[in-house]
């Protein structure tokens, strides 16, 4: 798979520079820490919300910094956790009288970096709360995880706490909301193709022309099993069954349904998947009240998708519907 | 390249069904004519704006139907012009006292379908104006075109006339605005990979691992030349030079800059391209006042990009900044 790249070592830095140049009034770029932050952050009226993780999952997380979402993101290199000093310096720069909230997708490398960064920042007087997202039902423990992985469901957690933080919610309230959203959110993904990290220049793993990886992780790590390539509807059936039966979601539930593209799948195909998923949920008596079709958490140029369901109550629905303003396209 | 597909013959219909299910309050789907239309259209207070063209370019055009953009889109099958009776029936369904505006990307098949559909609709008493978009500087005449092709710059034309039509502008005024935007808009694209139509199941053309197609069309048709794969910056240099020198854009101009993904290129790479393009324009004294980074007009799953520049004046700037609400993601 060919890519737009100059020096692979500068891939992340050049992307971050582009984000900053495209958002001159609202975002600030601090190259020393791969840091993209709101120009108007921190504010003592608001908890600062920070996420790190590896790069290669865009728009997560550097492209969802903005009003009503993240206050800052400090990614590592492609598929690599941010160094702990990025976490430390970001936490200090974003320090607010109301504290700082770290949101971590459950991957061992990210947790280590954030645990150590947090400890050091706390020693410097920063008050920090931590939310762990672990929405992926595919596997219990995995190549890079103890416990379930955190993937696209992360978006719902960030959207909800981002909205609440704009209204002045304190750290405890954000932890309550974030943990609640995470507890009712479930995801499973699958890959049609591998992905190619810029520094490697070749696919991360091999997948035959008639194969797909069911339950794939967002770094190409193995999922539940490799299967014969199936029809779009059969793929949706398998992903939905895994997600619905896990919480479980049941008749009468109101949900947000996300069809997430993994980077190389065109939006036409995502809407085709959405139509069938929506119909199948309706048949189960599960009511799709909000929908999200597009790229939210990708794996570079991987062709594939993940399906996320989040069970709604009035509080979550209202927070998801609140306005937000981020780097990626708005008309 | 593997795809999410059931019956390839149903690919477009299943995608359109998904769009309708995701937008129950605002969009209506009429399967007989592949028609996606605003639920509240037509209105006698507003010119109805219609675009057709082949499918496979999403979000263009079925995903940009909505307030402030298109009133309806009636695509053909993948990379195939809509049949003329789709154009006829869409024009009749969207008939308004203020008339109907057809926006056509300059491809011979689309022009034929719209010319014939228009003639028949006019015989039925519908008043119709036609805007031709031909922003692609790559080639003069091409595989499927007499004259220049119409590609991603189309977005700026639709956005401007869409905004003006919401304020009650009449057909003549929309033709004036649309032709003005088209006259100051230039695009060139390039491909890193081919694309795979669902019904074909294999790539449309072959491109070696060390090759790229410069000036490619949005149906994979040849461009200016096949070249050795180059760095991201060198690609931007070549595309920008072609676009800037064509109008030409010159020192002191204010522009909208679009980095459009062709379907298989991740958003991280598009922002990397944006950063360098923005810097190079700044060096030429060309001021990027508005920016657009993402997928606007794709070619299925093709990895590649196009760069569009549109010269701004106060009128165009204000129309581009006006609110719009379409199917694709908003927070």
């Amino acid at each position: 798979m060919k890519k737009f790249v100059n020096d692979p070592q500068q891939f992340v830095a050049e992307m971050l520079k582009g984000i900053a140049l495209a958002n001159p009034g609202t975002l600030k770029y601090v190259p020393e820490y791969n840091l993209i932050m709101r120009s108007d952050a921190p504010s003592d009226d608001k908890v600062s919300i920070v996420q790190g993780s590896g790069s290669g999952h865009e728009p997560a997380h550097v492209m969802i910094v903005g009003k009503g979402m993240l206050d800052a993101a400090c990614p590592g290199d492609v598929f690599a956790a941010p160094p702990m000093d990025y976490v430390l310096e970001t936490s200090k720069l974003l320090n607010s009288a109301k504290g700082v909230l770290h949101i971590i997708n459950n991957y061992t490398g990210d947790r280590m970096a954030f645990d150590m960064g947090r400890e050091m920042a706390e020693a410097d007087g920063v008050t920090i709360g931590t939310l762990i997202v672990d929405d992926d039902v595919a596997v219990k423990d995995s190549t890079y995880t103890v416990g379930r992985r955190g993937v696209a469901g992360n978006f719902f957690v960030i959207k909800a706490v981002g909205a609440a933080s704009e209204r002045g919610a304190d750290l405890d309230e954000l932890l309550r909301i974030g943990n609640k959203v995470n507890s009712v959110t479930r995801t499973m993904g699958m890959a049609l193709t591998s992905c190619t990290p810029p520094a490697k220049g070749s696919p991360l793993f091999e997948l035959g022309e008639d194969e797909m990886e069911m339950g794939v992780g967002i770094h190409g790590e193995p999922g539940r099993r490799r299967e014969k390539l199936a029809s779009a509807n059969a793929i949706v059936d398998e992903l939905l069954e895994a997600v619905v039966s896990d919480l479980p979601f049941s008749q009468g539930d109101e949900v947000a349904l996300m069809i997430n593209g993994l980077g190389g799948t065109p939006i036409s195909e995502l809407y085709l998947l959405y139509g069938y998923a929506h119909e199948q949920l309706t048949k189960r008596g599960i009511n799709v009240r909000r929908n999200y079709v597009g790229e939210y958490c990708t794996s570079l140029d991987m062709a594939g998708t993940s399906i996320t369901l989040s069970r709604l109550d009035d509080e979550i629905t209202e927070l998801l519907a609140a306005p937000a303003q981020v780097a990626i396209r708005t008309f």
Side-chain angles (χ1 to χ4, degrees), chain A residues 32-46:
Chain A
E32 299 89 303
Y33 311 117
N34 274 0
L35 173 62
I36 294 284
M37 61 185 283
R38 285 175 60 172
S39 307
D40 59 355
S43 154
D44 280 336
D45 297 332
K46 184 184 177 306

Side-chain angles (χ1 to χ4, degrees), chain A residues 4-23:
Chain A
F4 292 107
V5 63
N6 296 300
D7 172 2
Q9 302 307 321
Q10 294 304 313
F11 183 81
V12 171
E14 290 180 1
M15 166 185 72
L16 297 178
K17 188 184 69 180
I19 295 171
L21 283 170
N23 297 275

Side-chain angles (χ1 to χ4, degrees), chain A residues 163-324:
Chain A
S165 75
E166 292 294 335
R167 300 165 187 175
D170 65 20
L171 200 46
D172 284 344
E173 176 71 350
L174 295 186
L175 289 167
R176 179 190 69 76
I177 291 169
N179 283 318
K180 181 170 96 165
V181 175
N182 183 58
S183 75
V184 295
T185 300
R186 295 292 187 276
T187 299
M188 192 156 98
M190 58 78 58
L192 294 176
T193 70
S194 183
C195 58
T196 298
K200 186 167 185 289
S202 61
L204 205 54
F205 61 98
E206 290 301 328
L207 206 50
E209 257 313 298
D210 61 343
E211 288 180 323
M212 59 184 188
E213 179 76 30
M214 195 54 70
V216 73
I218 53 175
H219 312 93
E221 66 271 30
R224 290 188 173 182
R225 59 184 165 275
R226 197 157 285 197
E227 295 179 17
K228 274 275 182 212
L229 188 60
S231 72
N233 290 355
I235 291 168
V236 170
D237 281 335
E238 185 166 348
L239 293 178
L240 267 189
E241 177 56 31
V243 166
V244 168
S245 63
D246 188 89
L247 187 63
F249 295 87
S250 49
Q251 196 169 3
D253 278 351
E254 305 221 296
V255 299
L257 165 60
M258 174 187 287
I259 305 292
N260 173 55
L262 293 183
T265 288
I267 186 89
S268 50
E269 298 179 33
L270 299 180
Y271 271 98
L272 180 148
L273 299 173
Y274 178 82
Y276 184 72
H278 181 117
E279 284 182 338
Q280 293 312 108
L281 288 170
T282 304
K283 277 191 190 156
R284 289 170 183 253
I286 297 171
N287 175 21
V288 180
R289 194 158 157 191
R290 297 187 63 80
N291 64 74
Y292 299 80
V293 186
E295 292 176 350
Y296 293 86
C297 185
T298 62
S299 187
L300 294 167
D301 52 2
M302 182 181 284
T305 191
S306 66
I307 296 186
T308 301
L309 284 180
S310 189
R311 186 159 62 203
L312 299 172
D313 60 15
D314 288 346
E315 181 184 40
I316 297 175
T317 302
E318 197 273 332
L319 291 168
L320 293 184

